[in-house]
Amino acid sequence: MKRTLAVVLGLILASPAMAATEGPSPIFRPIDLFGLRSASDPQIRPDGGAVAFVRQANSIMTDRAEPSIWLIDTTTGALSPLADAGAARSPRWSPDGKRLAYVAGGEGAPPQLYVRWMASGAVAKVADLAQAPGRIAWSPDGSRIGFTMFVPDVGTSLGAGLTKPEGAKWAEPPKVIDNLTYRFDGAGYLKPGYRQIFVVAADGGSPRQLTFGAFDDGGDLSWSPDGRSILFSADRAPGWRHRAQHADIWRVGADDGVLTEIVQATGPASDPVSSPDGAMIAFVGFTDAHKPYQDERLYIADADGRNLRVLTEALDRGVSSPRWAADGKSLYVQYTDRSTTKVARVSLGGAVSPVASGLVGAQLDRPYAGGEYSVARNGMVAFTQGAWDRPPDIAVTNGAGARRLTHLNDDLLHGKALAAETPLPVVSAFDKQPIDSWMVTPPNYDRSRKYPMILEIHGGPYTAYGPSWSSEDQLYAAAGYVVVYANPRGSTSYGQAFAEGIAANYPGHDYDDLMSVVDAAIAKGSVDPNNLFVTGGSGGGLLTAWIVGKTERFKAAASQKPVINWTSWGLTTDISLIGTGYWFAKPPWVDQAAYWSHSPLSLVGAVKTPTLVLVGEEDHRTPPSEAEQFYEALQIANVPTALVRVPGASHGGFAERPSQLAGENAAILAWFGKYRTPAP
């Protein structure tokens, strides 16, 4: 059909081969996706003198972001590569700052654990590992390294198959599945086995397994100051596979492997860290009230789990990544407040004092809030800092202003006329509640003109957009569109009550919030009300599909990796326990009406808007069957539609590879272009 041809044409025009033949451009183009760099996982040396970080660089030949570890001096700003360009990640300093452990791997082999001696530059592989190591943690004396690793299991079999003759080419034997979670987005179908905790000598040796059994012990690790044990979080209770929101705090002996349950939690306790003197522990979590969203709080307790209390009860924001200050009198945490991610110091009395702001994450396609940090013994904080006009760099602060140390994209973006972003004040028409939103205007924006507009909706739904870099929005704006995005009710970083605004009503009044955002953008004067378009991914794809069933004000829509039918999604997603146990009060076979009343599929009979549907072929979060249902329904209803399937793409990796992001963006622009009319 003609509409499919338009999409294919858009994909072809956006291909790297076509774009690479063009010369320099004063605006941001799809080919520029390959030139973007980003910083992540900043690890400040214990003395605060340098930061090791992961630099992600897109390769036009492999079409992937290739990680390498770099070092930057916090005084001079001198920058140097450290480890295996294109393969290294997870840098972790030894307690004395003289060595750096990291993970690196080559083609066709599992990643391995390495240690670099900083003074000499010598590098040694610590051990030959059968699987990739994770959650690296040095012992306090620097003699050992703890890590997690997947340990395969035999799995379940039913019956005995035939014995294959030598040299015969038979079909693969049947695979028996008996676990509730048997596939996961980004990992695909899971192999039988469990993540366990190991230790190995830091100068090399044979890894020794500390935890055993049919449990996943894969969380962050924290050594006790005396080096005798390791803290971790896990759900090791009977029936753990059927509990979505639970983990306890455990201690395992580093020499004898003896397990001790420290905190029997009432919800998902995670990220345990021991105080410098070993007298206390801290972790984040919440008491599970079976709500669809709950903010994580910072807890502290005695080393044996007694005297448990919450430190951030008054903050009304979720916190993460706890780190003890060197003096043991306070902790650092990360949290997002009204779309801006910060690092704060929390006293043992619960006083919260921000020390860094403007953190951003390494997800460059859309402007999601996020970021990472680490703290030196002298209190200097290293963090990923960015803005709407640049991806994350490395910055440091001692609490008296931040210094940006890297400028990873200055060469690429220098001289380009980027789309500009400004806040857009909005009050919801439903209940007059303020809604944070932003307007992205095209390069060389002229206020006297009328521009077509794209409403771009975030996923989650329990997450938030912020004033961060967005490759998608830059490309939309470069094509001549005003882009607006917002944090409607249900978004995080505005408190528990705001996030709960969609509990048992999603989609619901978030629709009203988004329509108020559109009205506010039109009221600014430069948006053509007859040239409105809408798109979004995941939860944003669901809301896009819901919107076109509620209104005809948009000329065209693009629903990316959506949920269309809550019943089928709840029984095919990789997070079915969350979907059917938290987002709805009852399972679908008990209360089908609740599932159907919030399913965009129920509104297809009212859809008139030409709607493109996109999904990754390896999506296990919102499986392709959801997008296909919507596409088939629109076809049957004779609504203009086309389906774009992205080969090899998961839900989280839908736009991870530059060519896929370029192709997805071009397909959407080609679809919108078919229905865009000349401005008055």
Side-chain angles (χ1 to χ4, degrees), residues 453-457 476 514-515 518 531-536 540-541 543-545 547-548 551 553-560 609-612 668 671-672:
M453 191 202 82
I454 296 174
L455 171 64
E456 203 279 308
I457 310 169
Y476 290 145
L514 292 169
M515 293 306 100
V518 174
N531 262 323
L532 304 178
F533 301 86
V534 60
T535 188
L543 279 165
T544 297
I547 284 169
V548 296
T551 179
R553 72 187 303 186
F554 295 93
K555 297 294 292 291
S559 177
Q560 306 173 51
T609 306
T611 302
L612 180 68
I668 292 171
W671 184 258
F672 289 173

Side-chain angles (χ1 to χ4, degrees), residues 631-650:
Y631 169 72
E632 293 282 0
L634 293 173
Q635 283 279 12
I636 293 169
N638 204 29
V639 177
T641 187
L643 175 66
V644 175
R645 294 173 59 101
V646 183
S650 65

Side-chain angles (χ1 to χ4, degrees), residues 249-270:
I249 304 300
W250 293 80
R251 176 179 289 124
V252 60
D255 296 312
D256 55 20
V258 172
L259 280 169
T260 305
E261 188 177 44
I262 302 301
V263 176
Q264 191 172 53
T266 55
S270 64

Side-chain angles (χ1 to χ4, degrees), residues 25-46:
S25 170
I27 62 173
F28 190 79
R29 300 178 305 161
I31 190 61
D32 293 323
L33 296 170
F34 287 100
L36 289 174
R37 306 287 186 267
S38 67
S40 64
D41 200 4
Q43 297 295 316
I44 194 164
R45 201 168 64 198

Side-chain angles (χ1 to χ4, degrees), residues 2 9 64 109 122 136 157 239 275 311 350 370 378 494 505 516 534 540 613:
K2 292 182 179 179
L9 179 60
R64 293 184 182 277
I136 300 170
S157 62
S275 64
L311 290 188
N378 62 5
Y494 300 90
N505 189 28
S516 298
V534 60
V613 188

